Structure formats: structure tokens, C-alpha cells
Amino acid sequence: MKRIVAVLLCMAAVFGLTACNDKPAEKKAEKVTLKFATQHPIEHMAHKAAERIKARVEKETEGRVEIQIFPANQLGDASQIYEEVIRGSIDIAHITVPDQFDSRLGVGFLPFIARDYDQIRKVFATEAFIPQEMAKMHDKLGVKFFSYFGEGFIGVGTVKPLEAINVAGTEKGHMIRVPGLDVFKFGAEELGFRTTSLPYADTYSALQTGVVDGWLGGPPNLNYLGFRDVIKHFYQYNVNFESTQYVMNKKTFEGIADADRAVVEKAFVEEGQQSFLMAESEDQMYRKKMQEMGIEVVTFSTQELEAMANYVREKAWKRLEANLTPELLNGLKASYNN
């Protein structure tokens, strides 16, 4: 009997040691492959950014998260891609987010949302008012918002010189083509332009044939790459800002292991914020290229831009309240003073 008790005590001691030393096994992060759709051609700076993100994420997760890039609208246009992100059949997108699900999603194109690059970096900073509101809007649709991506300040390219170039609200003397969205149309009108909405594909021939005298809708790079043979003047009004967004299916994002999820988010956020420096550099480079082609390039002082911005915000933003809501616009106005 004593021998049996001794054996049982010994076994209990062994099991006790085993229990003390046996820690719960940590959950191993599963390998994930993410489909990343963009609207940008491979020669665009945004595609180079996508490649940097892919390399960084795969390296820092030690291959647990793999990213497959599908550039140049290979998986559909921006509207189709965003719908697929909501469904989860596309994991990540870098697109101009459509506003059919929420009209406020187009607030990034608001006329004079920023006066210049110093201001745009503050407006689109991660913790700023608009990105925080944008994150809430996407979240309701089952989408994770990472960051805005800056692509350049929009100006006006013309065949003939303008009148009263630095005075908002004064007739500029020309009819110009604008995209068919109120955020572009109202801003141009309050600057002093007569406007018409033509398809982008018809703009070059319209400039050639005199149907329009100029066009609004592109930063310096688009004016140089697409219109340098037809425009003679470029005015850097900064009236709208060309921006796109990094977004991801929320459920897919939350399904990634914690440490790897942090890597993914940081990679997209930091690349998005870095884009504003790249965009500023590209604007400068392509303005110089236009000058070398003999195109007159007109820029404006901070004071001139501020005066035009104040006028257009006062006039055009009131006309946009129905879709963008007073709450969103008033919150943005208040953020300029913070």
C-alpha cells in the first residue's frame, strides 16, 4: 500500500512539473495573399508606391502576407473595384473612390480644399478632420480607410491667355472644359470661368478645334503628357487637388494576425503621407518641362491663392452643401484654424 501511494505521489509531481512548464502554444499566423487593384498605369508614381508597399509588407511579415498588384484597372474601373472591395472579392484598392454609396466620399475634390502644399499636408494628415471622417464613412460600408494619396494640384491649361488671372469672381474671358462633377464645375465658375462638361477623351480635339479655349481637370503632369502640343498657357490655380485613396476590405484586414496587420496598415499610411512630397516635386518638374516646351506657366503667390481660396470657399461651398452636408464643410473650415 505504501508503495502504491509513493508511486501516485511521484506521478502527481511529474504531472505538476509538466503543467508548470507547458505554456499554451501561440497561434501561428497563417499565410495570406492579398489582391491589390489600382487604377494607375505602371509608369505612374502611384504604381511605384504600390511596389514599395508590396516589398515592405512581404519583407516585414517574413512572407506571411503576400500582395499581388493588378494595375491599370485590370480588375475594373474605380466604381467596380470599390464595389468588389466592399464584397471582399478584391482585398485592397488604390482608386478614386466613387461617391454613389455616400456623396460625402468625394469631399477630397472640394474646390480649394487647400491653398497649397503646406496646407494640403495638414488637411490630409492621418489625424486631421477629413481623413478621420473619411474613415467613419468607409467603416459603415465595411471598408478600412488607410490614407489619401496626393497626385498634384489641378490648374487650367489654355490656348489663349486669360484675363484678370488673379482675381476670383471676375470673368476670365474663356470657356473651359471641366469634369462633369459639381466640385469641379462650381469652383471653376466662382473663379470666373464659363464651363462645359466634355468627356476627357474629347478634350484634346475640342482644344484643337476651338470648341473650348482651355481645360481644368489635371495637374501639371497631365497637362504636359496629354496636352503640351495644343495648350500655350498653364495657370497653377490649385483650385482642386487630385487625390486618390488606399482602402481595404474591413473583414479581410481584421482577419490578419495582429502583428502583420500593423505592418500592412503602417506601410499604406506612410506611403500615402509621403505621396504629398512626391506630388509637389512632380508638379515642379512638369511645370519646368512645360516651360521648356515654350508654354507660359503662371503661378500665384501665397497671398493671391489665399484670397482666391477664401472667395471660392465662401461661394462654391454653399452650392455644395446639399451633397457634402453643412456638418462636414463646417468641420473642415474649423480645422483650418487648429
Side-chain angles (χ1 to χ4, degrees):
M1 188 67 182
K2 290 181 179 179
R3 185 177 297 173
I4 293 171
V5 172
V7 170
L8 289 173
L9 288 172
C10 185
M11 289 175 65
V14 170
F15 283 127
L17 283 171
T18 304
C20 291
N21 293 327
D22 189 23
K23 295 179 181 179
E26 292 184 8
K27 184 181 177 181
K28 185 177 180 182
E30 296 180 5
K31 183 172 181 179
V32 178
T33 300
L34 303 174
K35 291 168 65 176
F36 180 18
T38 87
Q39 65 188 33
H40 302 91
I42 58 174
E43 62 272 12
H44 195 280
M45 71 174 189
H47 182 72
K48 296 177 177 62
E51 290 180 326
R52 287 193 296 271
I53 290 170
K54 171 182 168 68
R56 176 177 177 177
V57 167
E58 293 178 353
K59 178 181 178 181
E60 293 185 14
T61 64
E62 298 177 339
R64 291 184 299 276
V65 178
E66 181 181 286
I67 294 178
Q68 294 179 343
I69 303 171
F70 297 87
N73 289 328
Q74 286 180 14
L75 301 184
D77 64 21
S79 294
Q80 294 169 321
I81 290 172
Y82 189 69
E83 287 188 39
E84 296 304 319
V85 170
I86 291 175
R87 293 190 183 102
S89 54
I90 293 175
D91 302 304
I92 310 171
H94 183 187
I95 53 172
T96 302
V97 172
D99 62 1
Q100 70 258 38
F101 296 101
D102 186 334
S103 61
R104 298 172 300 161
L105 289 170
V107 70
F109 290 113
L110 195 67
F112 280 112
I113 191 169
R115 174 195 63 223
D116 52 26
Y117 274 102
D118 285 342
Q119 199 169 72
I120 200 70
R121 281 189 281 269
K122 295 176 182 176
V123 168
F124 284 158
T126 306
E127 300 302 322
F129 175 77
I130 288 296
Q132 290 296 304
E133 292 299 306
M134 190 61 52
K136 296 174 188 175
M137 296 175 213
H138 284 296
D139 187 71
K140 290 179 180 179
L141 296 167
V143 174
K144 168 71 177 176
F145 170 78
F146 290 125
S147 178
Y148 274 98
F149 186 97
E151 299 192 20
F153 269 109
I154 289 171
V156 176
T158 66
V159 177
K160 301 173 184 177
L162 299 177
E163 300 169 10
I165 60 172
N166 61 351
V167 184
T170 302
E171 170 65 41
K172 298 295 181 286
H174 293 305
M175 171 81 74
I176 64 169
R177 177 267 178 190
V178 298
L181 297 171
D182 288 345
V183 285
F184 295 101
K185 177 180 171 64
F186 293 172
E189 287 176 351
E190 297 301 345
L191 271 179
F193 290 101
R194 286 172 283 124
T195 68
T196 183
S197 295
L198 296 171
Y200 178 78
D202 297 336
T203 303
Y204 188 94
S205 60
L207 288 165
Q208 272 187 321
T209 57
V211 173
V212 294
D213 304 306
W215 84 292
L216 175 149
N221 59 1
L222 276 184
N223 278 268
Y224 176 79
L225 295 172
F227 299 92
R228 65 180 180 269
D229 295 329
V230 66
I231 64 171
K232 303 299 180 186
H233 312 269
F234 177 76
Y235 300 86
Q236 187 69 72
Y237 275 113
N238 295 1
V239 60
N240 303 95
F241 188 76
E242 186 75 22
S243 63
T244 43
Q245 298 180 35
Y246 285 133
V247 292
M248 183 174 181
N249 177 270
K250 182 181 176 182
K251 187 175 180 180
T252 302
F253 176 71
E254 292 178 346
I256 300 172
D258 290 355
D260 293 343
R261 188 164 67 241
V263 170
V264 170
E265 181 165 14
K266 188 174 182 181
F268 279 100
V269 169
E270 290 188 357
E271 196 67 52
Q273 294 301 301
Q274 181 67 20
S275 70
F276 297 97
L277 293 173
M278 294 188 296
E280 183 173 18
S281 178
E282 281 228 336
D283 280 1
Q284 293 169 349
M285 178 178 72
Y286 280 102
R287 283 199 299 265
K288 184 177 180 181
K289 285 178 178 289
M290 282 192 280
Q291 289 175 320
E292 291 168 351
M293 286 284 298
I295 297 169
E296 180 194 24
V297 174
V298 178
T299 57
F300 301 93
S301 68
T302 300
Q303 292 73 22
E304 288 173 322
L305 288 170
E306 183 70 11
M308 289 188 281
N310 288 338
Y311 182 91
V312 172
R313 288 169 186 165
E314 177 65 26
K315 300 290 185 178
W317 288 19
K318 287 181 180 178
R319 300 169 67 186
L320 292 164
E321 278 188 356
N323 288 331
L324 297 180
T325 74
E327 293 78 13
L328 189 62
L329 297 181
N330 290 335
L332 176 57
K333 287 176 187 176
S335 74
Y336 292 132
N337 301 318
N338 294 337

